[in-house]
């Protein structure tokens, strides 16, 4: 990947709303060159999606996010690919990662409540033939995601008092 494309990706990762004209100005490049590079990266699936980072706790307190560790046995000839595919096709699944360490896959899901997440784990995930065990962790509060800090802490402007 050339340096221009890498710089474009860095800028779009920070703010996906930047126009090709703005990016060109920021990089000292031609707008047509930037537009062409973006179109090429979209076509090649380097840029897969443009998305907003949302602090859901300010919008919807009822939503529950869980991380599920999944231990599974790989399938002959395909390894973990077919298991991961089977899991990521469920609509409630946000992310699936192949992991190193004590478990094989990490699954991130969203649910309306704890009961819905528990139902997913017991009725869908744990019934997959290759799944050996699962451990579910509920996210209680997000402080930072994708480099964005959610909490706005005010500085304490009180004077120090000492005896």
């Amino acid at each position: 990947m050339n340096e221009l494309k890498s710089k474009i990706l860095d800028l779009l990762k920070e703010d996906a709303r930047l126009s090709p004209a703005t990016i060109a100005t920021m990089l000292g490049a031609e707008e047509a060159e930037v537009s062409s590079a973006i179109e090429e990266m979209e076509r090649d699936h380097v840029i897969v999606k443009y998305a907003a980072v949302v602090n859901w706790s300010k919008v919807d307190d009822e939503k529950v996010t869980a991380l599920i560790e999944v231990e599974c046995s790989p399938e002959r000839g395909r390894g973990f690919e077919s298991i991961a595919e089977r899991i990521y096709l469920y609509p409630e699944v946000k992310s699936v990662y192949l992991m190193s360490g004590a478990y094989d896959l990490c699954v991130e899901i969203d649910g309306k409540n704890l009961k819905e997440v528990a139902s997913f784990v017991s009725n869908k995930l744990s019934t997959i033939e290759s799944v050996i065990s699962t451990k579910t962790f509920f996210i209680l509060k997000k402080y930072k995601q994708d480099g964005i800090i959610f909490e706005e802490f005010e500085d304490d402007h009180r004077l120090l008092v000492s005896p």
Side-chain angles (χ1 to χ4, degrees):
M1 177 174 302
N2 69 32
E3 188 177 343
L4 176 66
K5 287 182 181 177
S6 181
K7 288 179 179 180
I8 291 170
L9 290 173
D10 287 339
L11 289 172
L12 288 174
K13 179 79 174 118
E14 268 315 297
D15 185 356
R17 298 178 301 169
L18 292 174
S19 69
T22 304
I23 293 171
T25 301
M26 293 171 81
L27 298 178
E30 295 294 322
E31 183 178 349
E33 183 182 18
V34 169
S35 292
S36 174
I38 291 172
E39 288 171 12
E40 184 180 326
M41 289 188 287
E42 289 171 344
R43 188 175 53 253
D44 294 343
H45 293 345
V46 172
I47 297 174
V48 180
K49 180 180 178 180
Y50 296 93
V53 177
V54 178
N55 186 351
W56 287 107
S57 67
K58 295 203 180 239
V59 179
D60 185 7
D61 277 343
E62 301 303 313
K63 188 176 184 179
V64 176
T65 301
L67 297 176
I68 307 163
E69 295 178 354
V70 181
E71 185 183 354
C72 49
S73 46
E75 293 182 5
R76 172 172 248 125
R78 291 208 61 208
F80 295 105
E81 300 297 320
S82 61
I83 303 161
E85 181 180 4
R86 195 154 168 213
I87 293 170
Y88 70 61
L89 289 175
Y90 287 112
E92 52 270 77
V93 173
K94 287 175 50 179
S95 305
V96 177
Y97 305 101
L98 179 62
M99 305 296 290
S100 64
Y103 57 98
D104 304 304
L105 299 172
C106 180
V107 179
E108 182 180 359
I109 72 164
D110 281 336
K112 293 177 186 165
N113 51 45
L114 299 177
K115 188 175 182 178
E116 187 175 90
V117 172
S119 175
F120 171 81
V121 173
S122 63
N123 297 328
K124 294 178 180 176
L125 190 57
S126 63
T127 61
I128 296 173
E129 199 172 300
S130 302
V131 171
I132 298 167
S133 68
T134 64
K135 290 182 187 173
T136 304
F137 302 89
F138 292 98
I139 295 177
L140 303 176
K141 182 176 183 177
K142 289 186 182 180
Y143 294 99
K144 184 176 183 177
Q145 178 182 332
D146 294 330
I148 308 297
I149 297 171
F150 287 143
E151 294 296 315
E152 298 174 16
F153 296 104
E154 292 185 25
D155 291 336
D156 189 355
H157 298 291
R158 295 179 290 175
L159 296 174
L160 290 175
V161 178
S162 58

